Amino acid sequence: METWSRTVVLLLLTTVVTCSPLINDLPPGQEWPANNSVKQPFDDDPETTTLLILTEKESSTPIGEPLPLEVDSPDEAGIDASLPVLRSTGPESRVDYTGAQVWKVSTQNINVRGVIYRLRRRNLISTWGGNQSSIDILVKSNAVNNVTRVFKRERIPIEVVIEDLQQRINEENPELDPNEVELQNRRGHRMTWKQYHRVEDIHGFMDYLAKTYPKIVSVNTIGKSYEGRDLKILRISNGEPTNKAIFIDGGIHAREWISPATVTYFINQFAENFDVETDDIKNIDWYFLPVVNPDGYEYTHQSDRLWRKNKKPSRTTGRTCIGTDLNRNFGYRWGGKGSSGNPCSDIYRGSSAFSEPESKALSDFIKSSSANFTAYITYHSYGQYLLYPWGYDNAVPPDYKDLDEVGNRMASAIRQTRGSSYQVGSSSGLLYPASGGSDDWAKGQGIKYSFTIELSDTGRYGFVLPTSFIEPVARESLNGLRVLASQVAKL
């Protein structure tokens, strides 16, 4: 009888998991999930010197209760996604990832999600990216042998994608050769797209364009980050009052360096070539916010290459943890699935919707602007996904077929450029639920075409994408963006 009961429960839960997404046509603010309705695990003390022993209960997760995943880092329980190993590199200490590895793990084995869940709670691993079939995990250097034995005992196959993470980081962003440096001096700005640049270079480039092309380019500071850095938006417009508008941002997550690089590439292409651009491009007001999270972005250059959140501190149970995940802090369905109430988590949602100065400045600007925003795109990495709402749960908006159709045409244009394959679908359906995202919020504001684009690659380099990929990735992404511009022009 007990076996039959378990079978019935498994069938029921499987049916719930595999059902098609709901079409949610309710206006924003109705049927919000209750705060703290999703249980969030807190950290156990790290255990790195002895073999991790998982009980039968701990080593499997019930069907219908999958491991919460997040495109970038779903480390709900981690004190910090970075390694607690530092080396002195001058005035500041830098996180050293020597010996840390990145593995790709299939999640088809029923035990794997529970194993990862427990290892993560014990701070032996953090999660990088994943989907319904696999997950990339960062295994800390002092835990590699321990975690290897656990996976071997549980008969879970792994693929080591990055054998030494620090070596990959060291090779990622080399110094420019002397010819490039000389070219920088001649141009009047330092941007090259052959290197990942600091915030000062990005903002200097934006100011340069505004001075060089004052008839079409303007720059506006819409607010300050927690540490007081400018949040700069650049607008490209021919000034026609009938123009539709497209808002594009990057750098919400600090460690995703390819995102600001791609957004600034768009800016350069449009500003420098505006006279010869198509009418689809010219007759749109373009708004670009290349670095939403300048504090975190600078921190990844100075101290911890894999930092994700902003830098605003929060107090919890007698200690201070740093940062909020800005892509869990937006006010549409805030506080639900795929976010954490633990300030030490990598997906901490903040104390309230728009509690962070960066997300609030972005939302205030869009809401107060007279621009006719018809599309919103936020660029992230990695995984090669073109995602539309909803992210907060397994649901889609009433016009999801329109989003899907345009998304697939954008993906086709990307693929035709250099063969990169992007999967298209709703965030929650293609990946997993994550509430409080900027794309859900933009759609909730009535912006027709709202997308999150997860840029290259699919895991070989992950967040640590070499500079040789900047221009190819940005070029193919630009071709996808042109498709969206053409669609907006028809409205």
PDB file of all heavy atoms in Angstrom, residues 299-333:
ATOM      1  N   TYR A 299      34.138  46.415  -8.421  1.00  0.00           N
ATOM      2  CA  TYR A 299      34.643  45.442  -7.450  1.00  0.00           C
ATOM      3  C   TYR A 299      35.165  44.183  -8.139  1.00  0.00           C
ATOM      4  O   TYR A 299      36.133  43.575  -7.690  1.00  0.00           O
ATOM      5  CB  TYR A 299      33.542  45.099  -6.457  1.00  0.00           C
ATOM      6  CG  TYR A 299      33.989  44.303  -5.261  1.00  0.00           C
ATOM      7  CD1 TYR A 299      34.791  44.879  -4.273  1.00  0.00           C
ATOM      8  CD2 TYR A 299      33.613  42.966  -5.113  1.00  0.00           C
ATOM      9  CE1 TYR A 299      35.201  44.139  -3.169  1.00  0.00           C
ATOM     10  CE2 TYR A 299      34.015  42.217  -4.009  1.00  0.00           C
ATOM     11  CZ  TYR A 299      34.804  42.810  -3.044  1.00  0.00           C
ATOM     12  OH  TYR A 299      35.219  42.075  -1.954  1.00  0.00           O
ATOM     13  N   THR A 300      34.535  43.797  -9.253  1.00  0.00           N
ATOM     14  CA  THR A 300      35.015  42.619  -9.978  1.00  0.00           C
ATOM     15  C   THR A 300      36.366  42.874 -10.625  1.00  0.00           C
ATOM     16  O   THR A 300      37.132  41.936 -10.859  1.00  0.00           O
ATOM     17  CB  THR A 300      34.017  42.179 -11.063  1.00  0.00           C
ATOM     18  OG1 THR A 300      33.836  43.234 -12.026  1.00  0.00           O
ATOM     19  CG2 THR A 300      32.681  41.790 -10.472  1.00  0.00           C
ATOM     20  N   HIS A 301      36.665  44.115 -10.924  1.00  0.00           N
ATOM     21  CA  HIS A 301      37.972  44.459 -11.493  1.00  0.00           C
ATOM     22  C   HIS A 301      39.034  44.602 -10.409  1.00  0.00           C
ATOM     23  O   HIS A 301      40.217  44.344 -10.661  1.00  0.00           O
ATOM     24  CB  HIS A 301      37.880  45.766 -12.279  1.00  0.00           C
ATOM     25  CG  HIS A 301      37.250  45.628 -13.625  1.00  0.00           C
ATOM     26  ND1 HIS A 301      37.967  45.342 -14.769  1.00  0.00           N
ATOM     27  CD2 HIS A 301      35.954  45.721 -14.021  1.00  0.00           C
ATOM     28  CE1 HIS A 301      37.161  45.281 -15.804  1.00  0.00           C
ATOM     29  NE2 HIS A 301      35.920  45.519 -15.379  1.00  0.00           N
ATOM     30  N   GLN A 302      38.622  44.988  -9.213  1.00  0.00           N
ATOM     31  CA  GLN A 302      39.587  45.296  -8.163  1.00  0.00           C
ATOM     32  C   GLN A 302      39.819  44.152  -7.186  1.00  0.00           C
ATOM     33  O   GLN A 302      40.949  43.969  -6.712  1.00  0.00           O
ATOM     34  CB  GLN A 302      39.119  46.523  -7.377  1.00  0.00           C
ATOM     35  CG  GLN A 302      39.057  47.796  -8.186  1.00  0.00           C
ATOM     36  CD  GLN A 302      38.370  48.921  -7.441  1.00  0.00           C
ATOM     37  OE1 GLN A 302      37.606  48.688  -6.507  1.00  0.00           O
ATOM     38  NE2 GLN A 302      38.620  50.151  -7.848  1.00  0.00           N
ATOM     39  N   SER A 303      38.771  43.397  -6.857  1.00  0.00           N
ATOM     40  CA  SER A 303      38.879  42.472  -5.717  1.00  0.00           C
ATOM     41  C   SER A 303      38.383  41.058  -5.993  1.00  0.00           C
ATOM     42  O   SER A 303      39.076  40.101  -5.690  1.00  0.00           O
ATOM     43  CB  SER A 303      38.107  43.038  -4.517  1.00  0.00           C
ATOM     44  OG  SER A 303      38.668  44.267  -4.104  1.00  0.00           O
ATOM     45  N   ASP A 304      37.197  40.916  -6.534  1.00  0.00           N
ATOM     46  CA  ASP A 304      36.612  39.586  -6.712  1.00  0.00           C
ATOM     47  C   ASP A 304      35.980  39.506  -8.094  1.00  0.00           C
ATOM     48  O   ASP A 304      34.918  40.065  -8.341  1.00  0.00           O
ATOM     49  CB  ASP A 304      35.548  39.316  -5.638  1.00  0.00           C
ATOM     50  CG  ASP A 304      34.956  37.910  -5.729  1.00  0.00           C
ATOM     51  OD1 ASP A 304      35.293  37.178  -6.681  1.00  0.00           O
ATOM     52  OD2 ASP A 304      34.149  37.555  -4.853  1.00  0.00           O
ATOM     53  N   ARG A 305      36.660  38.809  -8.992  1.00  0.00           N
ATOM     54  CA  ARG A 305      36.205  38.721 -10.388  1.00  0.00           C
ATOM     55  C   ARG A 305      34.789  38.171 -10.499  1.00  0.00           C
ATOM     56  O   ARG A 305      34.073  38.504 -11.466  1.00  0.00           O
ATOM     57  CB  ARG A 305      37.183  37.826 -11.177  1.00  0.00           C
ATOM     58  CG  ARG A 305      36.751  37.520 -12.608  1.00  0.00           C
ATOM     59  CD  ARG A 305      36.652  38.767 -13.448  1.00  0.00           C
ATOM     60  NE  ARG A 305      36.082  38.500 -14.751  1.00  0.00           N
ATOM     61  CZ  ARG A 305      34.783  38.484 -15.027  1.00  0.00           C
ATOM     62  NH1 ARG A 305      33.901  38.736 -14.085  1.00  0.00           N
ATOM     63  NH2 ARG A 305      34.355  38.245 -16.247  1.00  0.00           N
ATOM     64  N   LEU A 306      34.329  37.376  -9.556  1.00  0.00           N
ATOM     65  CA  LEU A 306      33.043  36.700  -9.690  1.00  0.00           C
ATOM     66  C   LEU A 306      31.957  37.293  -8.803  1.00  0.00           C
ATOM     67  O   LEU A 306      30.929  36.656  -8.553  1.00  0.00           O
ATOM     68  CB  LEU A 306      33.200  35.202  -9.412  1.00  0.00           C
ATOM     69  CG  LEU A 306      34.103  34.479 -10.409  1.00  0.00           C
ATOM     70  CD1 LEU A 306      34.240  33.005 -10.047  1.00  0.00           C
ATOM     71  CD2 LEU A 306      33.593  34.624 -11.834  1.00  0.00           C
ATOM     72  N   TRP A 307      32.163  38.514  -8.319  1.00  0.00           N
ATOM     73  CA  TRP A 307      31.122  39.183  -7.545  1.00  0.00           C
ATOM     74  C   TRP A 307      29.907  39.443  -8.424  1.00  0.00           C
ATOM     75  O   TRP A 307      30.029  39.813  -9.580  1.00  0.00           O
ATOM     76  CB  TRP A 307      31.650  40.492  -6.979  1.00  0.00           C
ATOM     77  CG  TRP A 307      30.682  41.159  -6.046  1.00  0.00           C
ATOM     78  CD1 TRP A 307      29.849  42.200  -6.331  1.00  0.00           C
ATOM     79  CD2 TRP A 307      30.435  40.810  -4.687  1.00  0.00           C
ATOM     80  NE1 TRP A 307      29.096  42.530  -5.226  1.00  0.00           N
ATOM     81  CE2 TRP A 307      29.439  41.674  -4.199  1.00  0.00           C
ATOM     82  CE3 TRP A 307      30.961  39.840  -3.832  1.00  0.00           C
ATOM     83  CZ2 TRP A 307      28.960  41.617  -2.898  1.00  0.00           C
ATOM     84  CZ3 TRP A 307      30.479  39.778  -2.532  1.00  0.00           C
ATOM     85  CH2 TRP A 307      29.498  40.659  -2.080  1.00  0.00           C
ATOM     86  N   ARG A 308      28.709  39.299  -7.857  1.00  0.00           N
ATOM     87  CA  ARG A 308      27.470  39.371  -8.628  1.00  0.00           C
ATOM     88  C   ARG A 308      26.583  40.569  -8.261  1.00  0.00           C
ATOM     89  O   ARG A 308      26.014  41.231  -9.130  1.00  0.00           O
ATOM     90  CB  ARG A 308      26.692  38.063  -8.402  1.00  0.00           C
ATOM     91  CG  ARG A 308      25.263  38.057  -8.901  1.00  0.00           C
ATOM     92  CD  ARG A 308      24.611  36.728  -8.492  1.00  0.00           C
ATOM     93  NE  ARG A 308      23.182  36.712  -8.707  1.00  0.00           N
ATOM     94  CZ  ARG A 308      22.583  36.357  -9.835  1.00  0.00           C
ATOM     95  NH1 ARG A 308      23.309  36.023 -10.883  1.00  0.00           N
ATOM     96  NH2 ARG A 308      21.267  36.344  -9.932  1.00  0.00           N
ATOM     97  N   LYS A 309      26.464  40.870  -6.989  1.00  0.00           N
ATOM     98  CA  LYS A 309      25.451  41.810  -6.495  1.00  0.00           C
ATOM     99  C   LYS A 309      25.973  43.249  -6.502  1.00  0.00           C
ATOM    100  O   LYS A 309      27.069  43.531  -6.960  1.00  0.00           O
ATOM    101  CB  LYS A 309      25.049  41.401  -5.075  1.00  0.00           C
ATOM    102  CG  LYS A 309      24.506  39.969  -4.977  1.00  0.00           C
ATOM    103  CD  LYS A 309      23.980  39.661  -3.589  1.00  0.00           C
ATOM    104  CE  LYS A 309      25.081  39.451  -2.569  1.00  0.00           C
ATOM    105  NZ  LYS A 309      24.538  39.087  -1.236  1.00  0.00           N
ATOM    106  N   ASN A 310      25.134  44.171  -5.983  1.00  0.00           N
ATOM    107  CA  ASN A 310      25.645  45.524  -5.761  1.00  0.00           C
ATOM    108  C   ASN A 310      26.446  45.529  -4.457  1.00  0.00           C
ATOM    109  O   ASN A 310      26.807  44.467  -3.943  1.00  0.00           O
ATOM    110  CB  ASN A 310      24.513  46.556  -5.781  1.00  0.00           C
ATOM    111  CG  ASN A 310      23.629  46.516  -4.528  1.00  0.00           C
ATOM    112  OD1 ASN A 310      23.746  45.640  -3.673  1.00  0.00           O
ATOM    113  ND2 ASN A 310      22.724  47.469  -4.415  1.00  0.00           N
ATOM    114  N   LYS A 311      26.730  46.675  -3.890  1.00  0.00           N
ATOM    115  CA  LYS A 311      27.628  46.726  -2.733  1.00  0.00           C
ATOM    116  C   LYS A 311      26.989  47.315  -1.484  1.00  0.00           C
ATOM    117  O   LYS A 311      27.675  47.653  -0.526  1.00  0.00           O
ATOM    118  CB  LYS A 311      28.884  47.534  -3.109  1.00  0.00           C
ATOM    119  CG  LYS A 311      29.766  46.858  -4.140  1.00  0.00           C
ATOM    120  CD  LYS A 311      30.415  45.599  -3.596  1.00  0.00           C
ATOM    121  CE  LYS A 311      31.458  45.962  -2.554  1.00  0.00           C
ATOM    122  NZ  LYS A 311      32.021  44.780  -1.877  1.00  0.00           N
ATOM    123  N   LYS A 312      25.699  47.400  -1.453  1.00  0.00           N
ATOM    124  CA  LYS A 312      25.019  47.940  -0.286  1.00  0.00           C
ATOM    125  C   LYS A 312      24.952  46.871   0.812  1.00  0.00           C
ATOM    126  O   LYS A 312      24.469  45.773   0.585  1.00  0.00           O
ATOM    127  CB  LYS A 312      23.610  48.382  -0.673  1.00  0.00           C
ATOM    128  CG  LYS A 312      22.801  48.970   0.468  1.00  0.00           C
ATOM    129  CD  LYS A 312      21.416  49.352  -0.026  1.00  0.00           C
ATOM    130  CE  LYS A 312      20.486  49.750   1.113  1.00  0.00           C
ATOM    131  NZ  LYS A 312      19.119  50.058   0.615  1.00  0.00           N
ATOM    132  N   PRO A 313      25.412  47.169   2.041  1.00  0.00           N
ATOM    133  CA  PRO A 313      25.416  46.168   3.108  1.00  0.00           C
ATOM    134  C   PRO A 313      24.044  45.995   3.750  1.00  0.00           C
ATOM    135  O   PRO A 313      23.207  46.903   3.736  1.00  0.00           O
ATOM    136  CB  PRO A 313      26.421  46.735   4.115  1.00  0.00           C
ATOM    137  CG  PRO A 313      26.380  48.213   3.899  1.00  0.00           C
ATOM    138  CD  PRO A 313      26.076  48.424   2.444  1.00  0.00           C
ATOM    139  N   SER A 314      23.845  44.799   4.306  1.00  0.00           N
ATOM    140  CA  SER A 314      22.621  44.494   5.059  1.00  0.00           C
ATOM    141  C   SER A 314      23.008  43.706   6.297  1.00  0.00           C
ATOM    142  O   SER A 314      23.913  42.868   6.256  1.00  0.00           O
ATOM    143  CB  SER A 314      21.632  43.681   4.218  1.00  0.00           C
ATOM    144  OG  SER A 314      21.235  44.388   3.067  1.00  0.00           O
ATOM    145  N   ARG A 315      22.300  43.945   7.387  1.00  0.00           N
ATOM    146  CA  ARG A 315      22.552  43.236   8.636  1.00  0.00           C
ATOM    147  C   ARG A 315      21.622  42.044   8.754  1.00  0.00           C
ATOM    148  O   ARG A 315      20.443  42.106   8.413  1.00  0.00           O
ATOM    149  CB  ARG A 315      22.325  44.145   9.836  1.00  0.00           C
ATOM    150  CG  ARG A 315      23.362  45.227   9.997  1.00  0.00           C
ATOM    151  CD  ARG A 315      24.661  44.704  10.545  1.00  0.00           C
ATOM    152  NE  ARG A 315      24.529  44.174  11.909  1.00  0.00           N
ATOM    153  CZ  ARG A 315      25.491  43.516  12.549  1.00  0.00           C
ATOM    154  NH1 ARG A 315      26.648  43.304  11.957  1.00  0.00           N
ATOM    155  NH2 ARG A 315      25.299  43.079  13.777  1.00  0.00           N
ATOM    156  N   THR A 316      22.148  40.912   9.250  1.00  0.00           N
ATOM    157  CA  THR A 316      21.331  39.740   9.494  1.00  0.00           C
ATOM    158  C   THR A 316      21.946  38.907  10.603  1.00  0.00           C
ATOM    159  O   THR A 316      23.141  38.616  10.575  1.00  0.00           O
ATOM    160  CB  THR A 316      21.191  38.875   8.227  1.00  0.00           C
ATOM    161  OG1 THR A 316      20.440  37.701   8.532  1.00  0.00           O
ATOM    162  CG2 THR A 316      22.529  38.455   7.660  1.00  0.00           C
ATOM    163  N   THR A 317      21.163  38.560  11.575  1.00  0.00           N
ATOM    164  CA  THR A 317      21.548  37.668  12.682  1.00  0.00           C
ATOM    165  C   THR A 317      22.961  37.935  13.182  1.00  0.00           C
ATOM    166  O   THR A 317      23.797  37.033  13.241  1.00  0.00           O
ATOM    167  CB  THR A 317      21.415  36.189  12.264  1.00  0.00           C
ATOM    168  OG1 THR A 317      22.242  35.945  11.102  1.00  0.00           O
ATOM    169  CG2 THR A 317      19.976  35.843  11.958  1.00  0.00           C
ATOM    170  N   GLY A 318      23.226  39.188  13.485  1.00  0.00           N
ATOM    171  CA  GLY A 318      24.490  39.523  14.123  1.00  0.00           C
ATOM    172  C   GLY A 318      25.657  39.738  13.198  1.00  0.00           C
ATOM    173  O   GLY A 318      26.782  39.943  13.668  1.00  0.00           O
ATOM    174  N   ARG A 319      25.467  39.707  11.909  1.00  0.00           N
ATOM    175  CA  ARG A 319      26.570  39.948  10.990  1.00  0.00           C
ATOM    176  C   ARG A 319      26.087  40.786   9.814  1.00  0.00           C
ATOM    177  O   ARG A 319      24.891  40.884   9.538  1.00  0.00           O
ATOM    178  CB  ARG A 319      27.177  38.638  10.483  1.00  0.00           C
ATOM    179  CG  ARG A 319      26.200  37.748   9.740  1.00  0.00           C
ATOM    180  CD  ARG A 319      26.913  36.538   9.176  1.00  0.00           C
ATOM    181  NE  ARG A 319      25.968  35.579   8.616  1.00  0.00           N
ATOM    182  CZ  ARG A 319      26.296  34.643   7.756  1.00  0.00           C
ATOM    183  NH1 ARG A 319      27.543  34.550   7.345  1.00  0.00           N
ATOM    184  NH2 ARG A 319      25.396  33.799   7.295  1.00  0.00           N
ATOM    185  N   THR A 320      27.056  41.352   9.103  1.00  0.00           N
ATOM    186  CA  THR A 320      26.748  42.180   7.948  1.00  0.00           C
ATOM    187  C   THR A 320      27.126  41.436   6.684  1.00  0.00           C
ATOM    188  O   THR A 320      28.241  40.921   6.566  1.00  0.00           O
ATOM    189  CB  THR A 320      27.513  43.512   8.006  1.00  0.00           C
ATOM    190  OG1 THR A 320      27.117  44.224   9.180  1.00  0.00           O
ATOM    191  CG2 THR A 320      27.222  44.361   6.782  1.00  0.00           C
ATOM    192  N   CYS A 321      26.186  41.371   5.749  1.00  0.00           N
ATOM    193  CA  CYS A 321      26.459  40.796   4.440  1.00  0.00           C
ATOM    194  C   CYS A 321      26.302  41.890   3.396  1.00  0.00           C
ATOM    195  O   CYS A 321      25.530  42.827   3.567  1.00  0.00           O
ATOM    196  CB  CYS A 321      25.515  39.631   4.146  1.00  0.00           C
ATOM    197  SG  CYS A 321      25.837  38.180   5.182  1.00  0.00           S
ATOM    198  N   ILE A 322      27.054  41.752   2.334  1.00  0.00           N
ATOM    199  CA  ILE A 322      27.131  42.813   1.336  1.00  0.00           C
ATOM    200  C   ILE A 322      26.334  42.438   0.094  1.00  0.00           C
ATOM    201  O   ILE A 322      26.468  41.342  -0.439  1.00  0.00           O
ATOM    202  CB  ILE A 322      28.590  43.085   0.931  1.00  0.00           C
ATOM    203  CG1 ILE A 322      29.439  43.406   2.170  1.00  0.00           C
ATOM    204  CG2 ILE A 322      28.663  44.229  -0.081  1.00  0.00           C
ATOM    205  CD1 ILE A 322      29.001  44.636   2.910  1.00  0.00           C
ATOM    206  N   GLY A 323      25.523  43.365  -0.350  1.00  0.00           N
ATOM    207  CA  GLY A 323      24.958  43.291  -1.681  1.00  0.00           C
ATOM    208  C   GLY A 323      23.557  42.737  -1.796  1.00  0.00           C
ATOM    209  O   GLY A 323      23.121  41.880  -1.029  1.00  0.00           O
ATOM    210  N   THR A 324      22.850  43.258  -2.793  1.00  0.00           N
ATOM    211  CA  THR A 324      21.537  42.782  -3.200  1.00  0.00           C
ATOM    212  C   THR A 324      21.603  42.419  -4.678  1.00  0.00           C
ATOM    213  O   THR A 324      22.271  43.106  -5.463  1.00  0.00           O
ATOM    214  CB  THR A 324      20.472  43.881  -2.988  1.00  0.00           C
ATOM    215  OG1 THR A 324      20.294  44.096  -1.593  1.00  0.00           O
ATOM    216  CG2 THR A 324      19.136  43.505  -3.614  1.00  0.00           C
ATOM    217  N   ASP A 325      20.935  41.349  -5.047  1.00  0.00           N
ATOM    218  CA  ASP A 325      20.810  40.993  -6.456  1.00  0.00           C
ATOM    219  C   ASP A 325      19.805  41.959  -7.083  1.00  0.00           C
ATOM    220  O   ASP A 325      18.604  41.857  -6.834  1.00  0.00           O
ATOM    221  CB  ASP A 325      20.339  39.548  -6.597  1.00  0.00           C
ATOM    222  CG  ASP A 325      20.234  39.093  -8.047  1.00  0.00           C
ATOM    223  OD1 ASP A 325      20.304  39.948  -8.958  1.00  0.00           O
ATOM    224  OD2 ASP A 325      20.064  37.885  -8.268  1.00  0.00           O
ATOM    225  N   LEU A 326      20.280  42.889  -7.883  1.00  0.00           N
ATOM    226  CA  LEU A 326      19.397  43.898  -8.461  1.00  0.00           C
ATOM    227  C   LEU A 326      18.323  43.282  -9.348  1.00  0.00           C
ATOM    228  O   LEU A 326      17.250  43.862  -9.518  1.00  0.00           O
ATOM    229  CB  LEU A 326      20.222  44.921  -9.254  1.00  0.00           C
ATOM    230  CG  LEU A 326      21.218  45.754  -8.438  1.00  0.00           C
ATOM    231  CD1 LEU A 326      22.009  46.678  -9.347  1.00  0.00           C
ATOM    232  CD2 LEU A 326      20.501  46.539  -7.347  1.00  0.00           C
ATOM    233  N   ASN A 327      18.594  42.112  -9.905  1.00  0.00           N
ATOM    234  CA  ASN A 327      17.602  41.469 -10.766  1.00  0.00           C
ATOM    235  C   ASN A 327      16.615  40.602  -9.980  1.00  0.00           C
ATOM    236  O   ASN A 327      15.920  39.764 -10.554  1.00  0.00           O
ATOM    237  CB  ASN A 327      18.280  40.629 -11.850  1.00  0.00           C
ATOM    238  CG  ASN A 327      17.445  40.542 -13.109  1.00  0.00           C
ATOM    239  OD1 ASN A 327      16.769  41.501 -13.483  1.00  0.00           O
ATOM    240  ND2 ASN A 327      17.476  39.392 -13.770  1.00  0.00           N
ATOM    241  N   ARG A 328      16.571  40.814  -8.678  1.00  0.00           N
ATOM    242  CA  ARG A 328      15.500  40.282  -7.832  1.00  0.00           C
ATOM    243  C   ARG A 328      14.816  41.419  -7.071  1.00  0.00           C
ATOM    244  O   ARG A 328      13.964  41.165  -6.226  1.00  0.00           O
ATOM    245  CB  ARG A 328      16.065  39.274  -6.805  1.00  0.00           C
ATOM    246  CG  ARG A 328      16.740  38.068  -7.409  1.00  0.00           C
ATOM    247  CD  ARG A 328      15.744  37.191  -8.154  1.00  0.00           C
ATOM    248  NE  ARG A 328      16.394  35.981  -8.651  1.00  0.00           N
ATOM    249  CZ  ARG A 328      17.054  35.899  -9.789  1.00  0.00           C
ATOM    250  NH1 ARG A 328      17.169  36.972 -10.562  1.00  0.00           N
ATOM    251  NH2 ARG A 328      17.601  34.771 -10.181  1.00  0.00           N
ATOM    252  N   ASN A 329      15.189  42.662  -7.394  1.00  0.00           N
ATOM    253  CA  ASN A 329      14.754  43.816  -6.602  1.00  0.00           C
ATOM    254  C   ASN A 329      13.688  44.669  -7.281  1.00  0.00           C
ATOM    255  O   ASN A 329      13.210  45.632  -6.710  1.00  0.00           O
ATOM    256  CB  ASN A 329      15.979  44.682  -6.257  1.00  0.00           C
ATOM    257  CG  ASN A 329      15.708  45.736  -5.218  1.00  0.00           C
ATOM    258  OD1 ASN A 329      15.887  46.924  -5.457  1.00  0.00           O
ATOM    259  ND2 ASN A 329      15.271  45.319  -4.034  1.00  0.00           N
ATOM    260  N   PHE A 330      13.306  44.298  -8.508  1.00  0.00           N
ATOM    261  CA  PHE A 330      12.286  45.072  -9.211  1.00  0.00           C
ATOM    262  C   PHE A 330      10.895  44.692  -8.713  1.00  0.00           C
ATOM    263  O   PHE A 330      10.669  43.579  -8.231  1.00  0.00           O
ATOM    264  CB  PHE A 330      12.413  44.876 -10.718  1.00  0.00           C
ATOM    265  CG  PHE A 330      13.560  45.650 -11.314  1.00  0.00           C
ATOM    266  CD1 PHE A 330      14.867  45.194 -11.176  1.00  0.00           C
ATOM    267  CD2 PHE A 330      13.345  46.835 -11.981  1.00  0.00           C
ATOM    268  CE1 PHE A 330      15.939  45.901 -11.701  1.00  0.00           C
ATOM    269  CE2 PHE A 330      14.398  47.560 -12.522  1.00  0.00           C
ATOM    270  CZ  PHE A 330      15.692  47.093 -12.379  1.00  0.00           C
ATOM    271  N   GLY A 331       9.968  45.634  -8.848  1.00  0.00           N
ATOM    272  CA  GLY A 331       8.708  45.572  -8.111  1.00  0.00           C
ATOM    273  C   GLY A 331       7.571  44.796  -8.723  1.00  0.00           C
ATOM    274  O   GLY A 331       6.442  44.931  -8.258  1.00  0.00           O
ATOM    275  N   TYR A 332       7.819  43.993  -9.743  1.00  0.00           N
ATOM    276  CA  TYR A 332       6.744  43.159 -10.273  1.00  0.00           C
ATOM    277  C   TYR A 332       6.886  41.747  -9.714  1.00  0.00           C
ATOM    278  O   TYR A 332       7.861  41.064  -9.966  1.00  0.00           O
ATOM    279  CB  TYR A 332       6.780  43.122 -11.805  1.00  0.00           C
ATOM    280  CG  TYR A 332       5.560  42.458 -12.403  1.00  0.00           C
ATOM    281  CD1 TYR A 332       4.383  43.176 -12.588  1.00  0.00           C
ATOM    282  CD2 TYR A 332       5.576  41.114 -12.764  1.00  0.00           C
ATOM    283  CE1 TYR A 332       3.255  42.578 -13.119  1.00  0.00           C
ATOM    284  CE2 TYR A 332       4.454  40.505 -13.294  1.00  0.00           C
ATOM    285  CZ  TYR A 332       3.301  41.242 -13.474  1.00  0.00           C
ATOM    286  OH  TYR A 332       2.178  40.637 -13.999  1.00  0.00           O
ATOM    287  N   ARG A 333       5.900  41.330  -8.911  1.00  0.00           N
ATOM    288  CA  ARG A 333       5.925  40.019  -8.244  1.00  0.00           C
ATOM    289  C   ARG A 333       7.173  39.875  -7.373  1.00  0.00           C
ATOM    290  O   ARG A 333       7.742  38.794  -7.263  1.00  0.00           O
ATOM    291  CB  ARG A 333       5.872  38.876  -9.270  1.00  0.00           C
ATOM    292  CG  ARG A 333       4.662  38.890 -10.199  1.00  0.00           C
ATOM    293  CD  ARG A 333       3.352  38.821  -9.437  1.00  0.00           C
ATOM    294  NE  ARG A 333       2.276  38.315 -10.260  1.00  0.00           N
ATOM    295  CZ  ARG A 333       1.275  39.051 -10.742  1.00  0.00           C
ATOM    296  NH1 ARG A 333       1.254  40.340 -10.505  1.00  0.00           N
ATOM    297  NH2 ARG A 333       0.314  38.507 -11.442  1.00  0.00           N
TER     298      ARG A 333
END
